[in-house]
Amino acid sequence: MVYFEMVKTALKTVLSKPATILYPVQAAKKTPISRGHVVQDGSKCISCSICVKKCPAQAIVLDKEAKTWQINRFRCVVCNSCVDTCPAKCLSMDTQYTAPATVKGIETFTITYVKPAKPEKKEEPKT
Amino acid sequence: MTKQIIVPFGPQHPVLPEPIHIDLVLEDERVVDAIPSIGYIHRGFEKLVEKREFTEYVYIAERTCGICSFIHGATYCQGIEQIMNIDVPERAQYLRVIWSEFSRLHSHLLWLGLFADAFGFENLFMGAWKTREKVLDFMEETTGGRVIQGTSKVGGVRRDISSERLDRMTKDLDDLDREMKELTDVFLHDDSVRHRLRNVGTISRNDAYHLGAVGPTARGSGVAIDLRKSGYGAYDRLNVQVVTDSCGDCYSRCAVRAKELFTSTDLIRQAVKKIPEGPIDVKVTGAPDGEYFMRAEQPRGELVHYLKGNGSKFLVRSRIRTPTLTNIPPLIKMLQGCELADVPVIVLSIDPCISCTER
Amino acid sequence: MTMDKQTITAIEVGKLIGSVERFRNEGYRLVQIGCTKVGDLYEINYCFDKDYHLDVVRIAIPAETEVPSISGMYWNAFIYENEMHDLFGIQVRGMNIDFKGTLIRTAEKFPFSKPPVTVTKGGKP
């Protein structure tokens, strides 16, 4: 017959520091590889639309004409799939979680990447 | 004859946040029959397989459950690997074991906390979740996600754990063991806990087996079914101990889970000792053509992923049979003949995960 | 990888009860009943397990064929049979607990009996 088995643990908890942190005064803990939200670097994006195809939540829309890359943060499940498959390495995972919002919106990034004129460079050594 | 009345239990009930509805047929305070109904949150994941490539479906399979997500993802991947005859590198298999066992720790600690809450031991609930936080921290540190790990992929794993981290693991596990010992001592030895749970919701060994109980629900009744024993992944190279208890009541199911915490840390220690250096994934080409019933042990019991491909990028069928679905018939058997006041404890004792069940 | 062995046997609907009875007598437990739509036929897999060996009995039926319930031998079969009825629209005869289509309430009736979604090259269905 054992009673009050919990007392020892309870006393220890009372006398030690709180296990929780004072969020938001104190920042939430995160690690260098925490999956927070996806960020796109418009200067590197080659508009290949692989991320659009590989997105399991269909959160990404790429418009080649308008040169925009859009992500619906409320659809995105932060699975890292697009970051893994991006051939140009223009997508990265930020450790900060998406801020809370009152309306569902779409975040738009502009693609500023200009295709370098490669063929001309090739011709130069020949001549 | 006493007049029979029907009392609805759920779909919203303080004891569990998930929507399961049970119609309890009562005679005075005694439950004579229970009729379950689910289907409040059916999400149609299985149909989604026709629209997503098999390599992307991992992310969806993983999100079937918010607690044992890693094992869902890994089981799906193992099923596909089995159909396509992919030899997964040793290191990846061991990493899967490590993460799977950490998910089990996380799930069992979560459940122990909720269970303590259900029988009215608030302090113990907080204690269990405090310990669980350490497991989640490890998850986030190695995979980037606290709950949805997302590290399994067809052909291996997506992230490696550095050898320095693995070396430090043994010390971390010792600390965790010490903390869990303190916690489980309360569950196993405290008389107020025992008094509340002994002889509540008893199910015999025979009933548990024939009604298809799996996991701790079966093992609590003395049925030694543990799919890890069948040796999928790297489990065939590890010494898996099956914890059983013979009484078949709520206390037994609680004791099985409490003791399984230590078999999980033991398995992680073994895996850390044996893990070889090497690549963590292989390149996957082609598409699955064939079918396989992949079975794995989840914290709640046996999980079945039935996968069928026809040689295209899109699978024809994925059927996920989660442990809670098969634990519902034994639950009904347990409820028959119990007191109304015990119903919440009994329902929680099978560790119901309704979101899992409804895919 | 060493994996558990599994055998799949295709049988006719008429022989279902007989072979399930044999499993029951040999002490197998029911793992699951799952349905798959293949073309116009519905494949129903009855999975049984004993000592980590999976035995699968398969029947293939057209939509209008009635399937006899095995809930007489395996009491827990009702949950799968009701699911099969609610999602695929398969008629099961003689279930011990018949929910009559209310176990899983779906907005669309029998969603899994609809033809599979074909995906075009652009990734859009």
Side-chain angles (χ1 to χ4, degrees):
Chain A
M1 297 279 263
V2 186
Y3 287 101
F4 303 113
E5 182 81 33
M6 191 68 192
V7 174
K8 204 179 79 189
T9 322
L11 278 178
K12 245 197 276 177
T13 323
V14 169
L15 298 172
S16 58
K17 269 201 310 182
T20 49
I21 55 166
L22 210 64
Y23 183 81
V25 179
Q26 233 176 319
K29 59 187 173 189
K30 56 186 175 189
T31 66
I33 57 166
S34 293
R35 298 198 305 270
H37 70 275
V38 183
V39 207
Q40 196 243 14
D41 181 356
S43 63
K44 283 192 210 158
C45 181
I46 54 169
S47 309
C48 65
S49 76
I50 286 178
C51 52
V52 180
K53 279 189 207 123
K54 293 283 174 189
C55 180
Q58 296 176 333
I60 305 171
V61 177
L62 181 105
D63 196 332
K64 282 182 190 172
E65 300 293 303
K67 283 201 166 266
T68 53
W69 187 90
Q70 294 176 320
I71 184 163
N72 186 340
R73 296 276 181 219
F74 286 84
R75 277 196 83 100
C76 176
V77 291
V78 208
C79 66
N80 217 28
S81 168
C82 50
V83 180
D84 280 353
T85 49
C86 181
K89 301 270 167 280
C90 76
L91 296 169
S92 60
M93 190 57 81
D94 195 290
T95 56
Q96 187 63 45
Y97 294 132
T98 329
T102 47
V103 276
K104 289 187 181 182
I106 291 169
E107 207 168 317
T108 310
F109 292 85
T110 329
I111 302 169
T112 50
Y113 174 82
V114 187
K115 205 176 174 186
K118 263 182 190 167
E120 286 173 31
K121 277 182 192 168
K122 267 184 193 169
E123 280 168 25
E124 278 173 319
K126 277 180 191 170
T127 47
Chain B
M1 202 190 107
T2 352
K3 201 181 155 201
Q4 287 194 338
I5 50 163
I6 295 175
V7 172
F9 175 92
Q12 289 300 320
H13 192 275
V15 79
L16 79 166
E18 292 187 282
I20 181 168
H21 175 87
I22 304 172
D23 278 319
L24 302 165
V25 183
L26 298 184
E27 268 176 20
D28 291 338
E29 284 285 294
R30 198 159 287 280
V31 179
V32 288
D33 203 3
I35 303 147
S37 69
I38 52 170
Y40 291 92
I41 40 168
H42 196 82
R43 294 168 288 169
F45 270 20
E46 292 169 346
K47 192 81 178 162
L48 208 55
V49 81
E50 293 162 4
K51 284 205 258 179
R52 300 285 187 274
E53 281 179 28
F54 74 97
T55 45
E56 287 153 37
Y57 191 72
V58 186
Y59 302 112
I60 292 157
E62 212 166 53
R63 280 162 177 80
T64 309
C65 180
I67 298 168
C68 32
S69 66
F70 182 80
I71 305 183
H72 267 294
T75 312
Y76 170 81
C77 293
Q78 278 166 337
I80 294 281
E81 284 152 10
Q82 201 65 29
I83 297 173
M84 296 175 75
N85 274 325
I86 300 168
D87 261 326
V88 182
E90 284 274 291
R91 194 177 173 84
Q93 290 185 21
Y94 276 99
L95 285 172
R96 277 182 188 169
V97 166
I98 292 173
W99 281 317
S100 295
E101 291 310 315
F102 267 107
S103 328
R104 199 179 312 277
L105 282 174
H106 144 55
S107 171
H108 278 358
L109 284 167
L110 176 127
W111 178 84
L112 285 169
L114 287 177
F115 199 49
D117 190 41
F119 57 70
F121 205 148
E122 206 69 18
N123 204 342
L124 193 54
F125 160 58
M126 293 290 176
W129 281 42
K130 194 173 106 187
T131 314
R132 169 176 168 261
E133 197 59 29
K134 295 224 161 101
V135 179
L136 290 184
D137 281 351
F138 170 80
M139 290 283 211
E140 188 170 7
E141 199 186 327
T142 52
T143 65
R146 278 163 58 84
V147 175
I148 306 278
Q149 281 76 38
T151 40
S152 208
K153 72 170 181 185
V154 178
V157 288
R158 294 206 290 170
R159 272 187 201 282
D160 201 354
I161 308 181
S162 67
S163 47
E164 298 90 66
R165 185 69 192 89
L166 284 174
D167 288 342
R168 268 192 291 136
M169 188 99 80
T170 328
K171 205 198 143 282
D172 289 352
L173 287 174
D174 289 344
D175 290 345
L176 196 65
D177 261 359
R178 208 172 316 115
E179 232 175 274
M180 289 191 315
K181 177 84 179 40
E182 214 172 87
L183 194 78
T184 51
D185 272 352
V186 185
F187 280 102
L188 297 174
H189 305 309
D190 197 290
D191 224 59
S192 56
V193 175
R194 196 201 305 253
H195 195 74
R196 180 74 186 91
L197 304 177
R198 261 286 173 238
N199 297 324
V200 171
T202 313
I203 185 162
S204 69
R205 188 185 185 284
N206 200 25
D207 274 353
Y209 183 79
H210 286 296
L211 295 181
V214 290
T217 313
R219 293 198 283 275
S221 296
V223 184
I225 311 172
D226 192 326
L227 261 287
R228 287 177 289 177
K229 270 277 175 206
S230 74
Y232 63 90
Y235 283 110
D236 56 338
R237 278 145 279 171
L238 303 170
N239 178 22
V240 184
Q241 260 167 357
V242 183
V243 182
T244 55
D245 203 303
S246 53
C247 290
D249 51 14
C250 285
Y251 182 79
S252 293
R253 290 189 280 279
C254 179
V256 165
R257 289 196 177 90
K259 287 173 191 160
E260 267 181 18
L261 290 174
F262 300 100
T263 60
S264 285
T265 48
D266 180 53
L267 277 170
I268 301 169
R269 275 200 199 90
Q270 289 181 38
V272 168
K273 218 172 273 171
K274 282 190 178 164
I275 191 165
E277 289 295 322
I280 54 162
D281 59 344
V282 283
K283 205 170 150 42
V284 178
T285 46
D289 189 4
E291 57 187 321
Y292 197 75
F293 290 89
M294 182 66 210
R295 297 190 295 160
E297 186 74 12
Q298 260 198 340
R300 296 179 173 80
E302 174 200 51
L303 164 78
V304 184
H305 270 253
Y306 169 62
L307 305 163
K308 188 184 174 89
N310 61 355
S312 78
K313 286 266 178 210
F314 304 95
L315 291 180
V316 176
R317 176 90 166 111
S318 142
R319 174 181 169 55
I320 308 170
R321 201 281 272 135
T322 54
T324 309
L325 188 70
T326 183
N327 274 337
I328 288 175
L331 171 70
I332 297 166
K333 242 338 174 242
M334 286 172 210
L335 288 173
Q336 288 169 355
C338 78
E339 294 282 333
L340 177 63
D342 293 336
V343 171
V345 177
I346 296 172
V347 170
L348 207 65
S349 80
I350 67 154
D351 197 355
C353 180
I354 308 302
S355 303
C356 244
T357 309
E358 308 216 21
R359 288 105 41 214
Chain C
M1 264 197 282
T2 49
M3 279 298 182
D4 57 348
K5 300 167 283 275
Q6 41 188 247
T7 44
I8 301 173
T9 340
I11 55 161
E12 284 162 34
V13 193
K15 290 189 180 138
L16 178 71
I17 294 291
S19 64
V20 172
E21 202 161 11
R22 206 190 43 171
F23 281 118
R24 168 77 204 203
N25 293 338
E26 284 172 21
Y28 278 76
R29 75 187 162 91
L30 178 69
V31 172
Q32 65 120 19
I33 303 172
C35 191
T36 312
K37 193 175 186 209
V38 183
D40 287 336
L41 291 177
Y42 291 91
E43 261 180 21
I44 307 176
N45 299 313
Y46 293 77
C47 306
F48 301 92
D49 169 281
K50 193 184 180 184
D51 303 326
Y52 309 123
H53 179 279
L54 193 74
D55 251 303
V56 183
V57 173
R58 170 175 295 168
I59 55 171
I61 51 153
E64 50 294 344
T65 310
E66 244 190 4
V67 183
S69 166
I70 64 159
S71 56
M73 285 157 286
Y74 286 96
W75 190 77
N76 55 331
F78 75 88
I79 202 121
Y80 306 112
E81 286 173 348
N82 276 298
E83 188 190 26
M84 203 153 85
H85 172 263
D86 295 356
L87 297 181
F88 288 91
I90 289 169
Q91 299 301 322
V92 186
R93 191 179 346 113
M95 276 188 274
N96 53 359
I97 303 177
D98 195 343
F99 284 84
K100 299 201 165 48
T102 54
L103 179 71
I104 297 167
R105 301 179 189 89
T106 46
E108 203 172 308
K109 219 169 182 206
F110 312 139
F112 282 60
S113 64
K114 301 278 176 299
V117 186
T118 42
V119 180
T120 52
K121 223 178 174 190
K124 294 238 158 49

